[in-house]
Amino acid sequence: MEPEIIQLIDEHGHPVDFELVASFDVDDNRYAVVVPVDGDGEEAYILRVEQDEDGNDIFVAIEDEDEFNDAVEAYNELMEEYEDYYDDEDFDDDDEE
């Protein structure tokens, strides 16, 4: 599966490619976790996803600390569920040979 790449504009007005790692909802808001394509994978950003007047997604920095903390908590719970799901599965690489 090909990673989904989105292009965002940094604070200096330069385009930067990001890989969309995950998206999830908290209450009535949608969020996206992105990492820079050219980064070392250590840096990730959680952005709120909104729509412009044409219905296109726009990615907005979360300025409210409570909203940001809620989004981080929801993402961490999502990752725990993901890990639990795959920990419960019996994946045996030897079966694929």
Side-chain angles (χ1 to χ4, degrees), residues 1-6 8 17-24 31-37 41-47 59 75 78-79 82:
M1 179 179 209
E2 288 287 317
E4 185 173 347
I5 305 299
I6 59 172
L8 303 174
D17 289 337
F18 287 85
E19 180 179 346
L20 178 64
V21 175
S23 63
F24 57 94
Y31 297 93
V33 178
V34 298
V35 295
V37 170
E42 298 283 325
E43 225 173 341
Y45 301 94
I46 298 179
L47 304 169
F59 297 85
Y75 177 67
L78 180 70
M79 289 297 95
Y82 178 83

Side-chain angles (χ1 to χ4, degrees), residues 43-62:
E43 225 173 341
Y45 301 94
I46 298 179
L47 304 169
R48 185 175 54 247
V49 182
E50 298 178 355
Q51 268 78 46
D52 64 13
E53 59 276 353
D54 295 324
N56 298 312
D57 287 344
I58 55 172
F59 297 85
V60 180
I62 304 168

Side-chain angles (χ1 to χ4, degrees), residues 56-91:
N56 298 312
D57 287 344
I58 55 172
F59 297 85
V60 180
I62 304 168
E63 296 183 15
D64 180 79
E65 186 175 343
D66 289 335
E67 179 185 2
F68 179 77
N69 290 336
D70 289 345
V72 169
E73 184 177 333
Y75 177 67
N76 288 337
E77 288 174 10
L78 180 70
M79 289 297 95
E80 286 176 18
E81 290 174 13
Y82 178 83
E83 289 171 1
D84 288 346
Y85 174 79
Y86 282 102
D87 285 346
D88 290 343
E89 293 293 317
D90 291 326
F91 291 106

Side-chain angles (χ1 to χ4, degrees), residues 26-42:
V26 177
D27 298 326
D28 293 332
N29 292 319
R30 184 150 207 51
Y31 297 93
V33 178
V34 298
V35 295
V37 170
D38 294 333
D40 57 9
E42 298 283 325

